[in-house]
Amino acid sequence: MVAVRRGDVTATLAAGESVLDGLARHGVTLPSSCRAGACQSCLVRAVAGTPPPAAQQGLREGLRRQGYFLACCARPQEDLELAEGDADLDVEATVTVLDRLAPDVVRVGLRPARSLGHRAGQFVTVTPPGGPSRAYSIASASDAPELELHVRAIPGGAVSGWLAERARVGDRVTLRGPAGECFYVAGRAEQPLLLAGTGTGIAPLFGLLQDALREGHRGRIVVVHGSVAREGQYLETSLAALAAAHAQLEVHHAVLQGEPGCAPGAHARCSVWGGSIASVVASVVPSPKGFNITLCGDPSVVAGMRRALFLAGAALTEIRADAFLPSAA
Amino acid sequence: MPTLYESLGGEAAVNAAVDIFYRKMLSDDRVAGFFDTVDMDKQAAKQKAFLTMVFGGPANYSGKDMRAAHSHLVARGLDDRHVDIVIEHLGGTLAELGVAPDLIAQVAALANSVRDDVLSRAKGGAATGT
């Protein structure tokens, strides 16, 4: 008999019974809709035990690797323990770095008290002492001992304002997570990659890029960073250094208010474009079929690029998007 | 004798069809407006459920579900012409995948069977366009 544990409840499944039905019989009602493995409302995560592969069909590689599966069509062969919501344990961290990458972007270094088990490109939720919480993407490589976050300082921002103006090195914050699926997945080293982000949306992509290069990704890697003004290209030097060291990497800076056309950048494989990030992506990757694509940043820009790339031939399952939603205060 | 779903290739066929079908819908100005505000991931999941159903596969959608899912679109002008376009693109998708015409006709018939539910009217409420 197979047992499924979630919090205080242990459900023993009847023969042929799904995790969703078994938990419901024990008083735990998970969200569900189609009950046919399509709508993904009943997505849950196993923290112990192996979910049945049939319950992971159609999920993205990143989700599968984190143990996510669909409860409605899971008839497991072994005991499972499920995560309760997204409430992973909190981790204390010390602020180790605070400096300006651009007039409105702060680099925040954090040393967690214990490993988060994160992947570069995922995001963590940061809670200052007594403050509300905000999510920021991880820009450092997965094996780095400290986390690097790129925080856009929003005037009056409850957390970004604290980090930009009042926080000091040595202060402590609480981290929760990690979450998100915009990280490098090894195993297809020849596949071309497109990494496109606006503003601090370049942060998770920079983390993902470092992981890809370190893991020996050989296929073409196209990075496009969109900003409103030239000074928003705050990772230009770091990206040029990576381009100089890796022949498969090319970097395009899309400056919305820049001069139309394409000018040389800080390295032979770097260029500076005037115009929207969507137009630059369309110019440098006119045929995205076969690419694995990660998009981060402004929600409407991300949604527009995703649709355009899909219509131009990219497979939907090969497009991951992380829209940065600003909080109300 | 294999079911229609098995003849078409089961879930692998649905996965192959969903991108082609969804791309055709989004590229067609006659229906693309209905998708302007939707989340592409959720929409793709719904397209997959729809294709599974019209392929005769394991789906648990009821007529009530189809009504509820489309009533806000009926309010925006969804009518028989749009259902005809869906069936047209469904056939085009399957033809691209090399499916035989008689199987395509079976899929179209299954899609047609939910027409009245999709358009929020009684069974046989209006003549169909195809």
Side-chain angles (χ1 to χ4, degrees):
Chain A
M1 292 236 278
V2 175
V4 176
R5 193 149 70 85
R6 183 178 182 277
D8 300 335
V9 177
T10 300
T12 305
L13 301 185
E17 190 175 38
S18 72
V19 170
L20 184 68
D21 291 337
L23 283 170
R25 200 161 45 76
H26 289 77
V28 178
T29 308
L30 300 175
S32 68
S33 179
C34 79
R35 304 176 77 90
C39 74
Q40 302 191 4
S41 300
C42 63
L43 192 65
V44 289
R45 184 163 69 93
V47 292
T50 306
Q56 295 186 303
Q57 274 191 21
L59 298 183
R60 294 172 198 280
E61 175 69 19
L63 290 177
R64 290 205 298 267
R65 286 170 61 112
Q66 292 176 72
Y68 281 96
F69 66 97
L70 301 173
C72 72
C73 46
R75 289 169 182 84
Q77 302 297 309
E78 59 178 273
D79 291 355
L80 294 178
E81 181 172 346
L82 307 187
E84 269 193 286
D86 291 323
D88 286 359
L89 290 177
D90 290 346
V91 177
E92 295 295 313
T94 307
V95 177
T96 54
V97 175
L98 286 168
D99 60 22
R100 291 269 167 173
L101 290 166
D104 63 344
V105 180
V106 182
R107 184 205 332 247
V108 179
L110 296 172
R111 189 190 312 121
R114 64 172 172 78
S115 169
L116 296 169
H118 69 279
R119 304 290 306 269
Q122 290 190 294
F123 55 85
V124 287
T125 301
V126 178
T127 311
S133 304
R134 296 288 183 266
Y136 298 105
S137 294
I138 301 168
S140 44
S142 295
D143 60 348
E146 296 188 359
L147 304 183
E148 178 177 318
L149 313 177
H150 298 170
V151 176
R152 185 163 69 91
I154 296 170
V159 177
S160 69
W162 180 78
L163 288 165
E165 287 152 29
R166 299 190 295 284
R168 296 288 174 263
V169 168
D171 283 352
R172 297 180 72 78
V173 298
T174 304
L175 300 180
R176 173 168 287 192
E181 48 175 310
C182 289
F183 53 79
Y184 181 69
V185 178
R188 291 184 294 174
E190 306 295 340
Q191 187 179 28
L193 304 181
L194 169 63
L195 312 176
T198 65
T200 52
I202 194 65
L205 302 178
F206 188 62
L208 190 163
L209 172 65
Q210 292 173 81
D211 275 6
L213 294 171
R214 195 193 42 181
E215 300 223 18
H217 192 89
R218 294 185 295 276
R220 181 183 173 205
I221 306 177
V222 181
V223 173
V224 186
H225 183 199
S227 66
V228 175
R230 188 74 175 80
E231 65 196 18
Q233 295 291 332
Y234 67 88
L235 281 184
E236 187 168 4
T237 308
S238 305
L239 288 168
L242 288 177
H246 299 280
Q248 71 274 45
L249 173 63
E250 60 189 89
V251 178
H252 302 275
H253 306 280
V255 180
L256 193 60
Q257 297 174 340
E259 292 289 319
C262 175
H267 179 270
R269 281 187 296 277
C270 300
S271 53
V272 182
W273 302 68
S276 71
I277 185 172
S279 68
V280 174
V281 165
S283 295
V284 298
V285 183
S287 303
K289 188 175 181 184
F291 272 76
N292 182 263
I293 299 165
T294 310
L295 309 171
C296 296
D298 179 88
S300 64
V301 176
V302 163
M305 284 197 290
R306 180 182 221 198
R307 183 174 174 136
L309 287 161
F310 172 60
L311 290 178
L316 262 190
T317 50
E318 294 286 350
I319 309 178
R320 295 172 298 178
D322 190 355
F324 288 10
L325 298 166
S327 296
Chain B
M1 184 178 153
T3 65
L4 173 63
Y5 183 69
E6 287 163 357
S7 300
L8 289 165
E11 185 182 347
V14 172
N15 288 337
V18 71
D19 268 22
I20 299 172
F21 175 67
Y22 189 17
R23 199 175 282 125
K24 283 182 186 293
M25 297 288 283
L26 280 181
S27 304
D28 187 331
D29 289 341
R30 298 173 296 174
V31 287
F34 290 112
F35 300 102
D36 274 348
T37 56
V38 301
D39 177 310
M40 285 183 74
D41 270 339
K42 288 184 184 156
Q43 187 59 29
K46 287 178 187 163
Q47 305 275 13
K48 189 175 167 184
F50 169 69
L51 290 175
T52 302
M53 181 187 74
V54 298
F55 282 19
N60 293 332
Y61 275 81
S62 66
K64 195 176 150 204
D65 292 330
M66 296 302 281
R67 279 170 192 264
H70 294 91
S71 59
H72 67 292
L73 298 179
V74 173
R76 282 173 55 193
L78 188 78
D79 63 22
D80 276 306
R81 289 169 303 169
H82 303 114
V83 176
D84 292 344
I85 291 165
V86 169
I87 294 172
E88 172 194 326
H89 287 316
L90 194 54
T93 299
L94 293 173
E96 263 181 51
L97 292 170
V99 173
D102 61 320
L103 291 182
I104 295 178
Q106 287 184 53
V107 170
L110 269 173
N112 231 335
S113 72
V114 296
R115 178 186 291 264
D116 291 325
D117 284 321
V118 165
L119 296 177
S120 292
R121 65 190 178 203
K123 284 279 176 199
T128 59
T130 49

